[in-house]
């Protein structure tokens, strides 16, 4: 129960932040990709920087067990297809839900697409690929 | 035009949220894997429940299983086996995943309402997407479904999205995350320039 | 789970039998290849880690 409360709070904070940053705006995401406004890139990069420091601090006080993220056969192609979809739909998975909350109901199409694409990959993986995605390392 | 947070404030907020998720939930943030879990639940039904094990119970169970696997004559692992502190934790139930995904929507609603930008539109509030679809509503919907499907397919194939790979993986310098992030940002830039050329 | 098998020399038997010999026999790989969720208590030989005493 406690975990559910925290999960909900974190999700609301993430949705709020993505809205205030502008990551949920198709036009602003494209201004980032076209380098006409670097603010979102800088936001992302500074988040990575702050997080790197945060993880160092976390490691100082505890011994966290974090799953390694090795390169596997789906890394590049999967990342590339995600990039293609992100540029077209203007949303990463979290952002589709934020957009719906903002009243941009067209993101319901995006959400449906994300769920469909996820399902289709799970079938393609099972039927044809069966790639070793290094899950057994985790 | 609404006031946006300066980049450092946005970066601090995103980093803070990821850190808060780790500190309170003791799992790395990963939005796409929550989508995968929801899809798996629909496709395969309820998974067999996993029993939580304390580190001591895990140590004992692991020793027994290893002895059974190895047969006789193999030295037993030391009693001081340094098993992970959290032992074995059952995966989060699908209700928690749905709560998280719903929470994102509530966060978006809150942000839009507090900044006075909330309004309901049947598509996206984007003049550029509209231009890309030639002003057609069904065209925009098709682009969103198709783009969304690529996002779902690609993130499951790569094993992460902007949160799990992009933020939490890159900040830990994980090779798979660095490569996946380079791929999705690289292709995003290339495709956006191509789309901008079309309109 | 793989990293646990590096914790002690005697746990190497898992790595020898599954990770190195034929990882397609590993129940964890098998589940992941079939697109199924991989249970955190699933061992490479297909048995599950359970509370000591509660045998199935």
């Amino acid at each position: 129960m406690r975990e559910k409360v925290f999960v909900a709070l974190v999700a609301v904070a993430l949705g709020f932040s993505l809205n205030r940053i502008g990551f949920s705006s198709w036009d602003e995401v494209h201004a980032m990709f076209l380098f006409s406004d670097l603010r979102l890139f800088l936001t992302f990069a500074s988040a990575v920087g702050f997080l790197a420091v945060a993880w160092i601090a976390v490691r100082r006080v505890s011994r966290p067990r974090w799953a390694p993220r090795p390169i596997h056969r789906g890394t590049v192609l999967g990342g590339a297809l995600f990039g293609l979809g992100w540029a077209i739909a203007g949303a990463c998975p979290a952002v589709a839900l934020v957009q719906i909350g903002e009243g941009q109901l067209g993101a319901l199409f995006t959400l449906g697409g994300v769920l469909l694409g996820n399902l289709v990959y799970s079938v393609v993986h099972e039927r044809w690929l069966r790639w070793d995605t290094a899950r057994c390392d985790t | 035009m609404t006031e946006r947070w300066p980049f450092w404030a946005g970066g601090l907020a995103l980093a803070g949220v990821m850190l808060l998720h780790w500190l309170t939930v003791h799992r790395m943030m990963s939005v796409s894997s929550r989508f995968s879990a929801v899809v798996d639940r629909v496709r395969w039904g309820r998974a067999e429940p996993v029993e939580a094990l304390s580190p001591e119970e895990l140590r004992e169970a692991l020793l027994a299983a290893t002895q059974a696997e190895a047969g006789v004559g193999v030295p037993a692992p030391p009693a001081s086996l340094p098993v992970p502190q959290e032992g074995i934790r059952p995966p989060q139930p699908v209700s928690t995943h749905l709560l998280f995904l719903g929470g994102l929507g509530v966060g978006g609603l809150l942000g839009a309402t507090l900044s006075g930008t909330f309004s309901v539109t049947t598509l996206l509030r984007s003049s550029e997407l509209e231009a890309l679809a030639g002003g057609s509503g069904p065209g925009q919907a098709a682009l969103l479904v198709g783009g969304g499907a690529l996002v779902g397919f690609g993130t499951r194939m790569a094993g992460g999205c902007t949160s799990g790979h992009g933020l939490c993986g890159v900040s830990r310098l994980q090779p798979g995350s660095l490569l996946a992030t380079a791929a999705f940002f690289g292709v995003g830039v290339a495709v956006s320039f191509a789309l901008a050329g079309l309109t | 789970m793989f990293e646990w098998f590096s914790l002690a020399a005697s746990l190497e038997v898992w790595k020898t039998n599954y990770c190195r010999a034929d990882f397609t026999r590993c129940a964890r790989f098998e589940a992941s290849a079939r697109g199924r969720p991989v249970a955190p208590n699933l061992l490479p030989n297909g048995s599950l880690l359970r509370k000591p005493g509660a045998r199935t």
Side-chain angles (χ1 to χ4, degrees):
Chain A
M1 191 60 220
R2 228 170 75 96
E3 181 175 82
K4 277 199 164 71
V5 173
F6 284 133
V7 164
L9 282 177
V10 169
V12 171
L14 179 60
F16 183 82
S17 303
L18 289 171
N19 167 274
R20 294 328 302 138
I21 289 164
F23 255 120
S24 51
S25 155
W26 200 98
D27 291 0
E28 284 173 65
V29 164
H30 277 256
M32 164 182 83
F33 281 145
L34 295 172
F35 304 119
S36 58
D37 182 358
L38 294 179
R39 191 177 47 84
L40 289 189
F41 265 135
L42 292 172
T43 302
F44 183 86
S46 66
V48 168
F50 288 130
L51 268 180
V53 176
W55 300 143
I56 292 171
V58 168
R59 280 210 178 91
R60 279 274 167 90
V61 297
S62 62
R63 285 186 56 237
R65 211 170 60 85
W66 289 327
R69 299 295 210 118
I71 295 171
H72 57 78
R73 294 171 76 178
T75 302
V76 172
L77 184 58
L81 291 172
F82 167 36
L84 175 62
W86 192 6
I88 294 173
C92 61
V95 158
L97 290 144
V98 178
Q99 289 172 333
I100 294 170
E102 294 167 346
Q104 303 197 74
L105 299 187
L108 286 166
F109 291 110
T110 319
L111 177 65
V114 172
L115 289 167
L116 179 71
N118 188 301
L119 174 67
V120 170
Y121 181 76
S122 109
V123 174
V124 168
H125 176 86
E126 180 197 1
R127 297 271 165 84
W128 294 290
L129 302 178
R130 299 204 157 216
W131 284 345
D132 177 8
T133 52
R135 280 286 296 277
C136 43
D137 287 359
T138 64
Chain B
M1 191 60 207
T2 50
E3 195 67 31
R4 294 296 190 201
W5 285 347
F7 79 88
W8 54 267
L12 210 52
L14 287 181
V17 166
M18 302 293 148
L19 180 64
L20 190 68
H21 190 268
W22 166 254
L23 292 178
T24 58
V25 186
H26 298 288
R27 293 176 202 266
M28 273 286 166
M29 172 86 81
S30 170
V31 180
S32 62
S33 69
R34 292 191 185 274
F35 275 96
S36 299
V38 170
V39 166
D40 286 344
R41 173 70 175 78
V42 171
R43 192 167 173 215
W44 308 115
R46 193 185 294 276
E48 207 180 308
V50 172
E51 211 174 27
L53 296 184
S54 71
E56 291 71 34
E57 289 165 339
L58 169 59
R59 183 180 294 123
E60 205 175 316
L62 194 55
L63 290 179
T66 306
Q67 275 156 1
E69 172 69 20
V72 279
V74 171
S80 58
L81 187 67
V83 295
Q85 282 172 7
E86 65 268 33
I88 284 195
R89 303 165 69 200
Q92 288 181 337
V94 78
S95 55
T96 305
H97 298 311
L98 295 176
L99 192 66
F100 182 91
L101 299 178
L104 288 172
V106 172
L109 173 65
L110 230 98
T113 310
L114 295 180
S115 60
T117 55
F118 181 83
S119 65
V120 174
T121 50
T122 50
L123 291 161
L124 294 192
R125 287 189 281 279
S126 163
S127 50
E128 291 172 41
L129 175 66
E130 199 180 337
L132 188 65
S136 118
Q140 288 184 59
L143 283 175
L144 292 175
V145 173
L150 287 163
V151 169
F153 190 93
T155 51
R156 182 151 188 169
M157 181 188 261
C161 60
T162 336
S163 57
H165 272 323
L167 289 172
C168 296
V170 170
S171 58
R172 291 187 292 131
L173 298 177
Q174 292 297 305
S177 299
L178 290 165
L179 192 58
T181 305
F184 65 68
F185 268 122
V187 171
V189 166
V191 171
S192 294
F193 272 98
L195 293 179
L198 288 177
T199 51
Chain C
M1 184 168 285
F2 181 80
E3 64 192 66
W4 300 356
F5 302 148
S6 310
L7 296 176
S10 36
L11 294 184
E12 280 281 323
V13 61
W14 295 105
K15 282 207 225 173
T16 314
N17 288 359
Y18 295 94
C19 316
R20 298 206 188 94
D22 179 9
F23 67 82
T24 56
R25 285 194 316 139
C26 171
R28 294 180 71 81
F29 173 79
E30 227 265 310
S32 138
R34 287 187 302 132
R36 304 287 184 122
V38 182
N41 60 346
L42 179 66
L43 284 164
N45 62 7
S47 65
L48 297 171
L49 286 169
R50 289 182 194 280
K51 273 193 204 297
R55 290 286 120 221
T56 46

